Amino acid sequence: MAAGWNKLDGAKALVDSGIDGVPDFYVKPLDQRLSPQDLELHAGEQEDEVPVIDVSPLLDSKPTSSDRSKEDVIAELLDASERWGFFQVINHGIGSDLTRRMLAVAHEFFQLPLAEKMVFYSTDIDAAVRYGTSFNPLKDVFLDWQDNLLHRFLPERRDQPHPWPTKPSAYELIAGEFVDQAKFLARHLLRALSEGLGLGPDYLEGEFGEHNVALRLNYYPPCPSPELAIGLSSHSDVGGLTILLQDSDIVGLQVKVQEKWKTVRSVPGALVINIGDQLQIYSNGKLKSVEHRAIVNADKARVSVGLFYDPASDVRVSPIPKFVDTEHPAAYNPCVFREYLKNLYSKNLVGKELLESQRK
Ligand code: OGA
Ligand code: NI
């Protein structure tokens, strides 16, 4: 390890400094490490896997090539959200040119010199742009093998220009367009879930209020001993709905299904969607916010880009009355979303502990 490197410099700077092994504070405890199956990294042979759903009937007003109706698609989305908490979508309306450019510009951002990225370093969880490493490097006992860039678009800042990085020069244009299109998709998916839950299409959006949106770029550099480190520790997403664009051809995302880790297959052009903690709370446990993590590999850097579509900060989230009766009492205490987020950063990110702490 080169002299002068410190933990806040992150995983890429560590690799760039020339290392031949994984330093102790990146070595995860045994129970968090990869199993031999994980290391094979081939998701193709799995018997059952995260469903892949063609969502074009949700988005098009004109008849589509699909012979499924909008209602069929809604039923599939609901089934996947109840059983897996995860699904992939194809024909989702975000063009392959844009997704390709988004991934490319994300790679380019992380190639910038460390000092240019560190300009965005901040410990303020409400910062509009925040660069960092791991999840909470000042608290994490074992660091995650990744660096990240987080954008937060809060409704109260809607009238101010977002302070986009000016390098790479195309970043603002591409990431801005990706955010707009992913938000449009997230709204349609939320409407579909709302309808599928029998609430009417506008209900969940109404609950989310002015909604918060965040964009997170994750960068996982190659790791000399991928069996010792984890790219992103097991967690569930705290908010509403997540849309994840992952590098094509490099798998890394794993979902916990019946206590086993399943690798999410790379499907060309697909986006991964998952249910966050707030939708599990609203639906009183019907929709599942499922644990997931990212693993790393020895050969190639991987990026992923997540769009988080969440309730507004001041919204008080609690189980919707429709899902509460004597047989199904409210399983969660109400919580203002801002407080939930604060707890995420003050406690450590371990599996579903945060959501469980909300349980009555
Ligand atoms: C996340 C996440 C997974 C990945 O950013 O919340 O789960 O594959 N990312 O990067
Ligand atoms: Ni996640």
Side-chain angles (χ1 to χ4, degrees):
M1 214 189 309
W5 178 89
N6 77 66
K7 285 185 188 182
L8 289 184
D9 295 346
K12 181 172 188 301
L14 177 72
V15 172
D16 291 347
S17 76
I19 46 163
D20 43 25
V22 173
D24 285 351
F25 38 84
Y26 278 103
V27 175
K28 294 286 180 181
L30 267 176
D31 63 346
Q32 291 182 35
R33 287 191 214 159
L34 276 59
S35 68
Q37 294 96 301
D38 290 329
L39 282 167
E40 286 174 15
L41 288 180
H42 295 301
E45 306 95 49
Q46 296 177 132
E47 286 151 25
D48 56 346
E49 57 182 17
V50 168
V52 180
I53 305 175
D54 176 349
V55 290
S56 53
L58 290 184
L59 306 168
D60 299 335
S61 42
K62 52 185 182 325
T64 58
S65 51
S66 166
D67 53 7
R68 287 144 55 256
S69 69
K70 193 174 158 191
E71 288 67 34
D72 294 337
V73 176
I74 290 176
E76 284 177 45
L77 293 180
L78 216 70
D79 183 59
S81 305
E82 290 179 8
R83 288 185 26 215
W84 291 82
F86 266 83
F87 48 91
Q88 303 208 54
V89 293
I90 52 170
N91 296 326
H92 44 65
I94 306 185
S96 56
D97 191 48
L98 180 58
T99 53
R100 201 165 22 80
R101 289 168 75 197
M102 182 68 240
L103 291 166
V105 87
H107 273 284
E108 276 171 45
F109 174 81
F110 290 100
Q111 298 312 315
L112 294 174
L114 183 61
E116 291 183 21
K117 294 179 285 191
M118 276 299 199
V119 168
F120 298 105
Y121 174 79
S122 170
T123 52
D124 172 9
I125 65 167
D126 278 335
V129 184
R130 179 150 61 98
Y131 174 76
T133 189
S134 193
F135 176 70
N136 192 349
L138 299 175
K139 293 188 85 172
D140 294 345
V141 181
F142 303 101
L143 295 182
D144 286 346
W145 194 269
Q146 70 134 272
D147 304 325
N148 56 74
L149 181 68
L150 182 71
H151 297 267
R152 296 199 67 206
F153 306 94
L154 302 180
E156 53 269 34
R157 287 201 293 252
R158 204 170 27 197
D159 297 333
Q160 300 163 22
H162 185 72
W164 292 102
T166 51
K167 285 183 189 175
S169 56
Y171 186 87
E172 173 174 354
L173 189 72
I174 295 169
E177 184 62 23
F178 181 78
V179 168
D180 286 347
Q181 295 205 19
K183 267 185 352 198
F184 182 83
L185 175 63
R187 263 201 304 274
H188 276 83
L189 293 172
L190 194 64
R191 291 176 68 79
L193 289 174
S194 193
E195 209 171 330
L197 286 168
L199 297 165
D202 302 326
Y203 192 100
L204 286 175
E205 257 195 294
E207 288 287 330
F208 276 34
E210 290 290 333
H211 66 262
N212 282 346
V213 173
L215 182 77
R216 181 176 166 119
L217 278 58
N218 298 301
Y219 181 84
Y220 306 96
C223 176
S225 302
E227 71 285 6
L228 298 179
I230 290 287
L232 187 58
S233 294
S234 175
H235 66 283
S236 62
D237 291 351
V238 290
L241 205 63
T242 304
I243 297 182
L244 189 84
L245 168 64
Q246 43 168 359
D247 243 335
S248 46
D249 304 330
I250 316 169
V251 293
L253 173 62
Q254 293 194 318
V255 180
K256 203 175 199 178
V257 184
Q258 287 158 1
E259 296 308 305
K260 287 214 181 86
W261 289 106
K262 275 198 179 283
T263 305
V264 176
R265 187 159 61 98
S266 162
V267 175
L271 296 165
V272 181
I273 313 294
N274 64 288
I275 301 294
D277 292 352
Q278 306 313 307
L279 282 182
Q280 177 163 335
I281 296 174
Y282 276 129
S283 66
N284 204 21
K286 248 172 112 65
L287 307 185
K288 303 286 186 313
S289 172
V290 170
E291 266 182 70
H292 55 285
R293 67 179 185 181
I295 60 177
V296 289
N297 73 83
D299 307 318
K300 269 188 173 172
R302 169 177 179 263
V303 297
S304 68
V305 181
L307 185 292
F308 301 85
Y309 195 87
D310 300 337
S313 307
D314 56 357
V315 165
R316 191 165 165 277
V317 180
S318 62
I320 293 169
K322 183 181 163 77
F323 305 116
V324 179
D325 55 35
T326 42
E327 250 176 82
H328 309 94
Y332 304 96
N333 290 308
C335 186
V336 175
F337 186 53
R338 180 188 288 107
E339 297 306 315
Y340 198 90
L341 263 185
K342 266 198 204 145
N343 289 339
L344 170 69
Y345 286 99
S346 61
K347 300 177 180 165
N348 262 8
L349 179 84
V350 188
K352 289 193 71 172
E353 280 176 12
L354 186 56
L355 180 58
E356 285 307 311
S357 72
Q358 275 306 115
R359 216 175 257 284
K360 282 201 181 204

